[in-house]
């Protein structure tokens, strides 16, 4: 995994996440010197991507839902093209917006339109084949002075290689890019965790469930936090059967 952040925030992420080995994964870091657009991530991460397909997720986006794993796993298996996800919102003018025809096929994409053609926003989760590296390199900055991810998606759309999957009511997409939306996301997470007694996006638990680490490794991680509720939760994960 390659984490791209600002010069100021990158050291904080490194301190918090390390190299990922404690979770059985590898995390590398790169700096985006200035906010020149999301698509610049593929230019900065070119060597990391190599000849592989790749995925991009925005750091201020939160996804939660039962079918999410199945949807993303399906996207990773796509050998050619790109997959993005659309979600109905009340304020589509804040996002890249996808327009569908009567058959449910995507026909246009617009970045932050003043008059949206639909209320379906493209979420901050994208899957691409290796062509994305060259596509991003050939982009010209938008009037905002940025390399727009919508322009990348439009290239795939125009070549007939863009899959747009609509996230239904069973999935929550939270964009924490404003103070209000950050508060809403915090309240949502708190409600779910209190009601179910489960942690959302607990990296130790995810790594264990995905078999990146074993029970002994999870137990060692839990012992680091054993004096607080987080460590006690990890201990509970070790003894609880998943249905």
């Amino acid at each position: 995994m390659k984490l791209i952040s600002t010069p100021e925030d990158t050291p904080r992420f490194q301190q918090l996440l390390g190299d990922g080995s404690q979770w059985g994964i590898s995390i590398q870091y790169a700096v985006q010197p200035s906010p020149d657009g999301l698509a610049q991530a593929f230019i900065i991460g070119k060597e990391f991507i190599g000849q592989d397909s790749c995925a991009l997720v925005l750091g201020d986006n939160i996804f939660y839902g039962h079918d999410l794993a199945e949807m993303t796993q399906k996207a990773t298996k796509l050998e050619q093209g790109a997959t993005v996800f659309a979600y109905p919102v009340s304020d589509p003018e804040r996002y890249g917006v996808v327009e569908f025809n009567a058959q449910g096929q995507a026909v246009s994409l617009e970045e932050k339109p003043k008059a949206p053609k639909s209320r379906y926003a493209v979420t901050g989760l994208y899957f691409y084949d290796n062509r994305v590296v060259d596509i991003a390199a050939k982009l010209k900055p938008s009037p905002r002075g940025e390399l727009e991810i919508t322009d990348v998606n439009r290239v795939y759309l125009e070549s007939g290689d863009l899959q747009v999957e609509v996230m239904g009511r069973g999935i929550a997409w939270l964009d924490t890019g404003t103070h209000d939306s950050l508060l809403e996301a915090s309240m949502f997470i708190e409600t779910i965790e209190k009601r179910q007694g489960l942690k959302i996006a607990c990296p130790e638990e995810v790594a264990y469930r995905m078999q990146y680490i074993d029970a002994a490794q999870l137990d060692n991680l839990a012992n680091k936090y054993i004096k607080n509720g987080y460590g006690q939760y990890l201990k509970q994960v070790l003894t609880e059967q998943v249905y």
Side-chain angles (χ1 to χ4, degrees):
M1 182 174 74
K2 190 84 162 185
L3 193 154
I4 299 174
S5 186
T6 64
E8 296 80 11
D9 291 327
T10 298
R12 300 186 182 98
F13 281 117
Q14 290 174 315
Q15 182 180 19
L16 177 65
L17 305 176
D19 63 2
S21 59
Q22 69 274 27
W23 303 318
I25 62 175
S26 174
I27 302 177
Q28 300 178 25
Y29 300 85
V31 173
Q32 185 180 34
S34 58
D36 295 328
L38 299 180
Q40 192 181 43
F42 302 106
I43 299 173
I44 295 173
K46 179 179 179 179
E47 291 186 7
F48 173 79
I49 296 171
Q51 299 301 313
D52 295 330
S53 299
C54 60
L56 172 68
V57 59
L58 306 189
D60 62 357
N61 277 213
I62 296 174
F63 298 88
Y64 180 81
H66 183 268
D67 295 328
L68 184 60
E70 181 179 341
M71 294 182 73
T72 54
Q73 289 170 6
K74 177 183 175 182
T76 63
K77 296 176 182 178
L78 189 67
E79 296 183 358
Q80 179 177 320
T83 299
V84 300
F85 300 92
Y87 195 92
V89 297
S90 59
D91 52 352
E93 64 278 358
R94 289 182 52 209
Y95 306 96
V97 174
V98 56
E99 176 191 11
F100 297 98
N101 62 18
Q103 289 72 44
Q105 299 171 320
V107 294
S108 75
L109 291 165
E110 292 183 281
E111 180 65 23
K112 295 181 172 62
K114 293 182 179 180
K117 295 179 180 178
S118 83
R119 66 186 191 95
Y120 284 89
V122 177
T123 73
L125 178 62
Y126 317 87
F127 291 80
Y128 299 104
D129 62 19
N130 193 257
R131 286 180 293 166
V132 71
V133 175
D134 292 331
I135 291 172
K138 294 176 182 177
L139 291 182
K140 294 182 180 180
S142 69
R144 299 195 305 160
E146 298 185 7
L147 301 180
E148 304 285 0
I149 198 70
T150 296
D151 289 339
V152 171
N153 296 334
R154 191 177 290 115
V155 172
Y156 281 99
L157 176 64
E158 292 174 352
S159 65
D161 287 330
L162 182 70
Q163 300 288 328
V164 181
E165 300 286 343
V166 176
M167 288 182 168
R169 295 186 179 211
I171 294 179
W173 170 49
L174 305 172
D175 179 358
T176 62
T178 67
H179 291 96
D180 286 345
S181 60
L182 179 59
L183 177 60
E184 290 170 359
S186 299
M187 295 174 65
F188 175 83
I189 299 299
E190 180 185 34
T191 299
I192 296 296
E193 290 191 346
K194 280 189 173 181
R195 179 63 175 170
Q196 296 185 333
L198 302 173
K199 295 292 184 186
I200 294 178
C202 172
E204 293 85 359
E205 180 182 11
V206 173
Y208 177 64
R209 303 291 190 204
M210 296 292 291
Q211 299 183 346
Y212 295 157
I213 60 175
D214 58 26
Q217 290 171 301
L218 179 59
D219 191 51
N220 287 333
L221 292 171
N223 288 333
K224 294 181 180 180
Y225 313 107
I226 197 59
K227 293 184 178 180
N228 60 45
Y230 193 80
Q232 293 161 20
Y233 174 78
L234 295 179
K235 289 286 189 178
Q236 177 183 325
V237 169
L238 284 167
T239 60
E240 193 172 67
Q241 185 173 351
V242 177
Y243 297 98

